[in-house]
Amino acid sequence: MLALGLEGSANKLGVGIIQHPKTRPSHSSSSKSPPTQPALILSNIRHTFHAPPGEGFLPKDTAKHHRAWVVRLVGQAMAEAGVGIDDIDCICYTKGPGMGAPLTSVALAARTLALLWGKELVGVNHCVGHIEMGRTITHATNPVVLYVSGGNTQVIAYASNRYRIFGETLDIAVGNCLDRFARTLGIPNDPAPGYNIEQLAKLGKHLVELPYAVKGMDCSFSGILAFVDLLAEKLFRGEKERDRGEGKGWTDEGSGEPVTREDLCFSLQETVYAMLVEITERAMAHVGSRQVLIVGGVGSNERLQDMMGGMAQERGGSVYATDERFCIDNGIMIAHAGLLAFETGFRTKMEESTVTQRFRTDEVYVGWRDD
């Protein structure tokens, strides 16, 4: 079976085509070896809308970008996959969660293709797409999942045909926290603000104390962002003082060296990632798992993977993560999760092919897993 997937919940428009073998391999937690017949990725194309430095992407501009590029990307994906309309079994699209206008644009494209080609529709939960793609690529069996992106922060574990949320953000997502601080510093959005924060953080030397907001199994990032924004203002004032020759500006108390933008990026990363490691470890202890799967755009951050890996190693476990092809929003994950649901008999009726900005992970019945 073949599925075409359309992803457009935020500023990335993705189109992917995937093929499943006629007999799907078992994803049971008792499986010790990779599937002998894995899903085959035929194409995975993405195009990103970039806002100017210091600005975020607006829903209306992002939706306009998706409408302008979707036909082109579908054509490119079909050509790269070497398939025709008759080969496609279903059209899968992101139903939510995400930004309303971009989601609507992609849902409209999915409905149009389904009507023109006479195909079934499958609406997909964005987070479930990330999880299933991560499990397939890494061969993780039954891990605790850390889902971290610009719009979501959740700690998840599977039980009884649902992906249960054990902990989450109480306000903004960790990726949104990083992106907005990049905006404060005027860091470019290309290729991604979080990626550019990561590169600056690698050059940081001084750890500036920031609030640490873990509340049980949940995290809070808005207060940390407000605090580090104030520190950025202090940094900017110090830089102007040094430029005018009126002093040394803001210096580190221990070394006497100037505190830099790189130091703030380093400190922000260390703090928020330590929070994520703590709540993930607590979930691992609760469910008795030794595996962690990191999914979502922030999951491609090397420092987060290193910190999580250190924790997992101390517990005799391991960390699974993918590269930017699958961590960052993409069409292939929507095609994969949609086709898994399609194979169980799930369909989205045309009159129900709506979108929703709020679509919780645990609302989805995971009928393709029997473990």
Side-chain angles (χ1 to χ4, degrees):
M1 281 189 166
L2 268 73
L4 183 146
L6 300 174
E7 154 60 24
S9 59
N11 68 324
K12 284 139 182 103
L13 174 65
V15 179
I17 298 176
I18 198 164
Q19 180 180 20
H20 286 180
K22 291 183 179 180
T23 302
R24 291 292 298 152
S26 171
H27 285 281
S28 169
S29 61
S30 62
S31 175
K32 298 297 183 181
S33 59
T36 55
Q37 288 183 298
L40 182 61
I41 298 171
L42 302 179
S43 62
N44 186 25
I45 297 174
R46 180 170 55 217
H47 195 274
T48 304
F49 171 70
H50 293 296
E55 298 181 19
F57 50 89
L58 298 176
K60 64 175 183 178
D61 296 332
T62 309
K64 183 178 180 180
H65 165 269
H66 291 359
R67 292 194 297 269
W69 279 89
V70 66
V71 173
R72 196 178 325 181
L73 262 60
V74 168
Q76 291 176 4
M78 297 280 283
E80 183 178 291
V83 300
I85 295 173
D86 293 340
D87 300 313
I88 302 295
D89 291 288
C90 61
I91 307 295
C92 310
Y93 74 98
T94 303
K95 186 176 180 69
M99 301 171 68
L103 282 171
T104 301
S105 294
V106 172
L108 175 60
R111 285 194 294 270
T112 303
L113 291 176
L115 289 170
L116 285 173
W117 295 352
K119 305 297 181 181
E120 299 275 10
L121 270 176
V122 179
V124 177
N125 179 285
H126 181 84
C127 176
V128 172
H130 273 298
I131 294 172
E132 293 302 344
M133 199 71 240
R135 291 180 65 233
T136 294
I137 295 298
T138 64
H139 304 306
T141 51
N142 193 24
V144 167
V145 179
L146 175 64
Y147 173 33
V148 278
S149 67
N152 300 275
T153 301
Q154 297 175 346
V155 177
I156 301 162
Y158 171 82
S160 302
N161 298 107
R162 300 276 177 178
Y163 284 116
R164 314 287 177 171
I165 300 172
F166 279 74
E168 60 191 319
T169 177
L170 296 173
D171 37 55
I172 62 174
V174 63
N176 185 247
C177 176
L178 296 170
D179 291 351
R180 286 166 64 176
F181 186 59
R183 206 178 308 167
T184 298
L185 296 182
I187 295 173
N189 291 314
D190 188 11
Y195 173 82
N196 294 330
I197 287 254
E198 178 184 5
Q199 304 316 306
L200 290 175
K202 291 177 181 177
L203 304 175
K205 296 185 294 182
H206 306 116
L207 182 64
V208 179
E209 185 175 355
L210 300 177
Y212 187 91
V214 171
K215 302 179 180 181
M217 285 297 299
D218 300 322
C219 289
S220 174
F221 300 102
S222 59
I224 299 172
L225 175 63
F227 190 87
V228 77
D229 277 347
L230 291 175
L231 294 183
E233 292 180 9
K234 178 180 178 181
L235 176 68
F236 298 154
R237 290 195 301 269
E239 290 176 343
K240 290 179 181 179
E241 289 175 2
R242 285 199 303 271
D243 292 342
R244 294 194 301 263
E246 297 176 358
K248 294 183 178 180
W250 182 18
T251 59
D252 177 67
E253 293 182 1
S255 65
E257 296 178 347
V259 175
T260 65
R261 297 172 186 230
E262 290 81 359
D263 293 331
L264 291 185
C265 292
F266 167 69
S267 302
L268 180 60
Q269 273 202 169
E270 293 296 301
T271 302
V272 297
Y273 291 165
M275 292 161 54
L276 295 175
V277 169
E278 178 181 337
I279 62 173
T280 303
E281 182 176 20
R282 194 170 290 134
M284 291 176 69
H286 183 78
V287 303
S289 175
R290 291 188 176 183
Q291 295 182 341
V292 179
L293 173 63
I294 308 176
V295 300
V298 181
S300 60
N301 186 286
E302 294 177 357
R303 180 56 182 156
L304 174 58
Q305 293 179 12
D306 288 344
M307 293 174 69
M308 197 67 70
M311 178 274 290
Q313 187 175 21
E314 290 178 358
R315 299 182 61 85
S318 53
V319 169
Y320 298 83
T322 64
D323 59 32
E324 60 87 25
R325 292 174 299 167
F326 306 109
C327 259
I328 297 173
D329 292 350
N330 59 85
I332 201 67
M333 71 183 195
I334 302 302
H336 180 49
L339 192 50
L340 288 172
F342 183 79
E343 290 166 342
T344 68
F346 179 83
R347 308 288 188 273
T348 299
K349 296 178 181 178
M350 187 61 65
E351 59 270 24
E352 297 175 356
S353 59
T354 56
V355 298
T356 174
Q357 292 180 268
R358 302 183 188 279
F359 189 6
R360 287 182 64 81
T361 312
D362 50 11
E363 292 179 33
V364 179
Y365 180 75
V366 186
W368 55 90
R369 290 188 64 172
D370 56 6
D371 49 322

